[in-house]
Amino acid sequence: AIIGERSRRLKPINQAIAKTENTIEIEETRLETLNQEMVQASQDQDGRRIAELSPAIRKCQETIDRLFSELEKLYADKESVETETDSQLKALDG
């Protein structure tokens, strides 16, 4: 019963972790592309394009930072469930 409860509680956490990690990868790729475009715009001295890219880069970085914070919380939640169920299993053995 404890193992079943552990699996039931961990499944949505693990799914959220996978989704968040995937989104981070997508945003990091997007940020890399934006940064490359910024380098090109700087080399071309394209002030209009630089002005367009700057807020997009900032927003992308903010999104990545927020996702990493969410991921940190998810891993803490996962560890909490694992610790709790491990101690329940030990209590049964002991």
Side-chain angles (χ1 to χ4, degrees), residues 21-65:
E21 287 176 340
N22 185 50
T23 304
I24 288 170
E25 286 180 29
I26 291 167
E27 288 298 316
E28 286 179 333
T29 299
R30 183 170 171 260
L31 181 61
E32 184 178 323
T33 300
L34 289 169
N35 282 327
Q36 290 171 355
E37 289 179 27
M38 178 63 86
V39 168
Q40 187 61 49
S42 295
Q43 289 172 348
D44 295 344
Q45 298 180 355
D46 185 347
R48 184 191 58 77
R49 185 70 179 135
I50 292 169
E52 291 173 359
L53 289 167
S54 291
I57 288 170
R58 185 175 51 254
K59 184 178 180 203
C60 191
Q61 186 61 58
E62 288 170 356
T63 300
I64 291 168
D65 293 344

Side-chain angles (χ1 to χ4, degrees), residues 1-3 5-6 8 11 14 19 40-41 43-44 53 55 57-58 60-62 66 72 81-85 88:
I2 294 170
I3 293 171
E5 175 71 8
R6 176 184 175 125
R8 185 189 66 74
K11 183 177 180 180
N14 286 330
K19 181 180 177 186
Q40 187 61 49
Q43 289 172 348
D44 295 344
L53 289 167
I57 288 170
R58 185 175 51 254
C60 191
Q61 186 61 58
E62 288 170 356
R66 180 183 50 78
E72 188 175 316
V81 170
E82 290 172 341
T83 300
E84 180 184 330
T85 54
Q88 290 173 348

